[in-house]
């Protein structure tokens, strides 16, 4: 199952980021319009557990990318900085079946001198699937 542009909700574009991990679990898609930042993916067979549902590890990895990507795009204070995760909380509320469109949106709650506090919701075909929150460390600027 390969996602094509016809399979994407309006406004989503391929998200490109360096690193082998994102390349392995992706593709991921981003919609950034004004203050709205959303990340998404289509559940493929390689993302599923033995019950045909998106594996919790994939959803956790997705949330671990959703929070910093959102913070980088929504907060000028941390733009261009490395934001490693200190803490990630997840509440799995509903399954994301094979073929579902999964998307998340997060908000920055607070930025301090050294940390970012964020939270978000992830949906699977418009049903809330995961509630997430996290604390990110404000690291060094990305190398040029």
């Amino acid at each position: 199952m390969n996602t094509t542009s016809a399979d994407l909700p309006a406004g989503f574009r391929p998200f490109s980021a360096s690193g082998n991990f994102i390349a392995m679990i992706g593709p991921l898609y981003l919609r950034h319009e004004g203050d709205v930042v959303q990340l998404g993916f289509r559940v493929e067979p390689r993302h599923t557990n033995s019950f045909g549902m998106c594996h919790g590890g994939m959803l956790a990895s997705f949330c671990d990318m959703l929070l910093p990507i959102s913070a980088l795009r929504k907060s000028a204070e941390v733009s261009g900085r490395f934001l490693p995760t200190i803490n990630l909380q997840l509440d799995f509320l509903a399954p994301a079946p094979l073929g579902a469109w999964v998307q998340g949106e997060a908000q920055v709650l607070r930025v301090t001198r050294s940390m970012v506090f964020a939270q978000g919701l992830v949906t699977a075909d418009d049903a809330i699937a995961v509630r997430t929150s996290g604390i990110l460390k404000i690291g060094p600027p990305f190398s040029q």
Side-chain angles (χ1 to χ4, degrees):
M1 173 185 296
N2 289 328
T3 302
T4 66
S5 59
D7 297 328
L8 300 177
F12 277 90
R13 303 284 180 258
F15 175 73
S16 61
S18 60
N20 294 329
F21 185 72
I22 291 177
M24 182 177 67
I25 66 167
L28 300 177
Y29 300 90
L30 180 74
R31 176 167 46 195
H32 186 178
E33 298 170 350
D35 293 338
V36 175
V37 177
Q38 297 169 321
L39 194 64
F41 73 99
R42 178 81 55 199
V43 178
E44 298 178 7
R46 63 197 174 99
H47 300 135
T48 61
N49 58 25
S50 57
F51 297 102
M53 301 295 169
C54 189
H55 192 282
M58 176 61 192
L59 291 170
S61 293
F62 179 75
C63 291
D64 195 33
M65 291 179 275
L66 172 66
L67 297 180
I69 288 168
S70 296
L72 287 168
R73 290 179 173 264
K74 289 185 169 195
S75 175
E77 299 163 284
V78 298
S79 180
R81 305 297 292 261
F82 178 50
L83 299 176
T85 303
I86 293 175
N87 177 277
L88 182 66
Q89 297 284 322
L90 304 168
D91 294 312
F92 296 103
L93 304 172
L98 177 64
W101 174 254
V102 174
Q103 75 180 47
E105 188 169 348
Q107 61 188 147
V108 176
L109 301 173
R110 181 163 184 221
V111 177
T112 69
R113 269 186 320 109
S114 60
M115 292 184 281
V116 176
F117 298 82
Q119 68 181 8
L121 290 175
V122 176
T123 60
D125 289 339
D126 297 323
I128 297 174
V130 182
R131 178 177 59 184
T132 184
S133 64
I135 303 169
L136 311 168
K137 172 78 173 147
I138 300 175
F142 287 117
S143 59
Q144 302 297 328

